[in-house]
Amino acid sequence: MAASAREDGARGQKQGLRGCEHYDRGCLLKAPCCDKLYTCRLCHDNNEDHQLDRFKVKEVQCINCEKIQHAQQTCEECSTLFGEYYCSICHLFDKDKKQYHCENCGICRIGPKEDFFHCLKCNLCLAMNLQGKHKCIENVSRQNCPICLEDIHTSRVVAHVLPCGHLLHRGYRCPLCMHSALDMTRYWRQLDDEVAQTPMPSEYQNMTVDILCNDCNGRSTVQFHILGMKCNICESYNTAQANRISLDQQ
């Protein structure tokens, strides 16, 4: 949804058509970088070779009367409500999702605000149940998700706080430190059953291997199995072979 800003409206944008796939709003943003009209910064960034700076937006266009005006919550010409929620800093227009602007994050977050706190070391808003119960990593969100490579800090996708302290949009193991991202106990027990039901061929039954556990960082010497090798210390299968396989002498 884009066009050059002009008084007769945005090319390709039907009059009165509200919002986009990202936000519900009654106006178009006039991009200060290229003077084009877009429903939101994401629509702009998906269609241009540069990014829209949300903080520099000065003008919007009403989708009903098409008047270009100073960024505000309600149209000065026809009183169209541009957004149930409006932030005059981020220029975010959307339906009410209990959003709030976090001064420390520098952007708007989905609330309610009372359900979150800003960790100054992590430099990120976290759920209240994590206060004093998470591993702090300085500026942890100021990086891309190591799996999908999307910027974590400004992403609209919820990032999961892993026990290791890193952030991840999705996945079962942190690719940064290799710790399990979730409580895998149930899956480990399923693997126990599968290993028990899948005996190795006779030529492999006396083979052992030294392993390093990615969860507890302990080392063990265990029987080699193609399905996985279980840590003797914490019983995790999130392990890596530490040296060559050896054959026990009988």
Side-chain angles (χ1 to χ4, degrees):
M1 301 180 185
S4 297
R6 56 180 186 176
E7 293 297 6
D8 60 349
R11 251 190 335 265
Q13 175 78 23
K14 294 182 179 179
Q15 184 176 1
L17 182 61
R18 186 177 182 90
C20 61
E21 61 179 304
H22 307 109
Y23 300 104
D24 182 332
R25 55 182 54 168
C27 64
L28 304 175
L29 305 180
K30 182 179 179 182
C33 45
C34 56
D35 282 343
K36 294 181 180 179
L37 293 171
Y38 279 93
T39 306
C40 75
R41 63 180 180 86
L42 300 174
C43 290
H44 170 280
D45 294 352
N46 288 339
N47 288 277
E48 301 293 341
D49 59 1
H50 59 278
Q51 292 186 328
L52 188 155
D53 186 341
R54 70 186 86 182
F55 305 107
K56 292 183 178 180
V57 172
K58 300 298 182 183
E59 294 181 303
V60 297
Q61 183 187 58
C62 177
I63 63 169
N64 290 320
C65 70
E66 301 185 343
K67 180 178 177 61
I68 294 179
Q69 57 201 277
H70 180 72
Q72 54 196 328
Q73 189 168 16
T74 304
C75 178
E76 62 187 35
E77 184 74 16
C78 67
S79 299
T80 293
L81 182 65
F82 294 153
E84 295 175 349
Y85 174 82
Y86 170 59
C87 174
S88 60
I89 300 174
C90 297
H91 303 296
L92 172 63
F93 300 86
D94 200 6
K95 61 184 179 182
D96 184 13
K97 301 174 183 175
K98 307 299 181 184
Q99 300 97 321
Y100 66 97
H101 182 87
C102 175
E103 293 185 3
N104 290 312
C105 283
I107 57 176
C108 291
R109 299 293 191 190
I110 295 179
K113 184 177 182 179
E114 58 269 19
D115 289 349
F116 296 87
F117 75 100
H118 186 90
C119 176
L120 293 176
K121 185 173 182 179
C122 294
N123 203 5
L124 179 69
C125 286
L126 300 172
M128 289 297 294
N129 60 8
L130 292 176
Q131 193 164 19
K133 300 178 181 178
H134 69 284
K135 181 178 179 180
C136 287
I137 297 180
E138 191 169 1
N139 291 324
V140 66
S141 72
R142 300 318 200 268
Q143 59 184 339
N144 293 338
C145 172
I147 292 182
C148 69
L149 302 181
E150 184 178 358
D151 175 58
I152 290 179
H153 187 70
T154 60
S155 174
R156 298 174 71 244
V157 179
V158 175
H160 300 285
V161 182
L162 308 185
C164 58
H166 295 121
L167 300 179
L168 201 66
H169 280 150
R170 58 181 181 271
Y172 294 99
R173 185 169 67 176
C174 177
L176 300 177
C177 66
M178 306 306 288
H179 280 61
S180 295
L182 308 170
D183 182 357
M184 302 291 286
T185 303
R186 179 179 296 181
Y187 180 64
W188 299 155
R189 299 298 74 82
Q190 291 176 352
L191 262 181
D192 281 341
D193 293 339
E194 292 180 18
V195 168
Q197 295 170 17
T198 313
M200 293 293 290
S202 57
E203 61 266 33
Y204 292 98
Q205 288 182 1
N206 294 324
M207 287 187 173
T208 60
V209 61
D210 292 336
I211 60 171
L212 173 65
C213 179
N214 291 317
D215 287 333
C216 72
N217 297 320
R219 290 179 177 270
S220 307
T221 300
V222 300
Q223 184 178 0
F224 172 77
H225 199 284
I226 193 65
L227 294 181
M229 290 164 287
K230 180 178 178 179
C231 174
N232 284 337
I233 302 171
C234 70
E235 301 187 335
S236 166
Y237 279 91
N238 181 16
T239 60
Q241 184 175 323
N243 62 12
R244 292 182 178 180
I245 298 174
S246 61
L247 179 63
D248 290 346
Q249 298 297 321
Q250 298 295 322

